[in-house]
Amino acid sequence: MNRNAYKLANSLHMGSEIRGMDDRTGLSEKEFSKYRKAFRKKARANTRKPYIRYMAAACMAATLLGSAVFSGDVHAAIEHISWSISSALGLPGSLEKYREVVNSSVHDQGYVFTLQEVVATEEKLVINYTVAREDGLSLGEIPPVPDGMLYINGRAIRGAASGGSVFLDEAQTILGVDMSYQIQGIDMAAENTYQIKFSNVGMGIDVKGKWEFQFVADATELLADTRRIPVEKTIEIQDGMTVTLKELSMNELEQRISYSMQGTSDYILQVIAEDDRGHQVEFSTSVFYGDIGEGHMINQEILYDGRIDENADTVKLTVYVHKLPEESGKMGDDYQQIGEAFELNLR
């Protein structure tokens, strides 16, 4: 089964992300459970290296909602797939309370894009969609990587995007994709109008076209159900350079630690968290805004059913830093602990 990292529209420096999937087509419950466990074990082994994404400007284009009629066999196959954002991200819980179901298909140039679900949250929009050929033939051994461009309320969003893709059938005819857009300066709790446009099928398939979608979503309920625990812990990196862990936030979609840096942006962070229920998880840098010296780390273990227990009373946090390479974009594993581990009260 193939996995690949996105080629970002704004040429961001990033590492690989491997997402879970939940395709039950043609599998019994027992077979699916065995398959999922094997995949997650393999995925965990291949995704332990932390990574960073830096925000960069990207010009987005306005889009409109579209729909079309295409091959009945392809349509039936896509509709048969029970592939939600929760399963695309490997989340143990359901996002049904917070998601908007779009389930709209557009075809052009012999390819069908189906936008399935969207979830809006703090500074982020998450979507999942499928790509298939109208004739039902294989997409090839290497998954294509479509670049989706985003507008919100008619405003071009210039920021980072990332995601993962996976074939949802053994014949490799249907590609499942999840994608996250980082968003600044937008009230995500408001009912915003989102527009997404895909103009190419992706790497390895030199086909350009128009696959355009429009939908309305807001993050009101998800933000209301987000637990926020102040941290406000400042630790010196070296020579007056400091990092301040600001807040731990937790909801059904993600667990994150926000932070700020003073005096440098040459380091990326990692936090190992161990709660009093015995769960240990890793927070890795997801986004850092170099111009304002702020960013956040995401709990990577949540992709494999690992998270800080919602019933935990305390969590011990240990902070590590890694200096970015000066000449090469290649990341290493040499994270160094800074400061002493400290305990955070969750109640």
Side-chain angles (χ1 to χ4, degrees), residues 31 45 85 138 183 193 237 259 291 320 328 331:
E31 289 171 331
I85 286 180
S138 173
I183 299 167
T193 298
I237 300 175
Y259 69 92
D291 55 341
Y320 299 84
S328 170
M331 294 294 298

Side-chain angles (χ1 to χ4, degrees), residues 121-125 181-183 226-229 231 246-251 253-259 283-284 286-287 289 295-299 302 308:
T121 187
E122 185 176 8
E123 297 184 339
K124 182 186 290 187
L125 178 73
Y181 296 89
Q182 297 295 331
I183 299 167
T226 299
R227 290 181 61 196
R228 299 183 183 278
I229 299 95
V231 182
K246 301 169 68 174
E247 179 185 77
L248 167 65
S249 61
M250 300 184 285
N251 58 39
L253 179 65
E254 63 182 14
Q255 295 183 334
R256 69 164 66 179
I257 298 175
S258 60
Y259 69 92
F283 287 80
S284 297
S286 175
V287 172
Y289 300 92
H296 64 259
M297 292 168 278
I298 295 293
N299 173 7
I302 206 170
I308 295 174

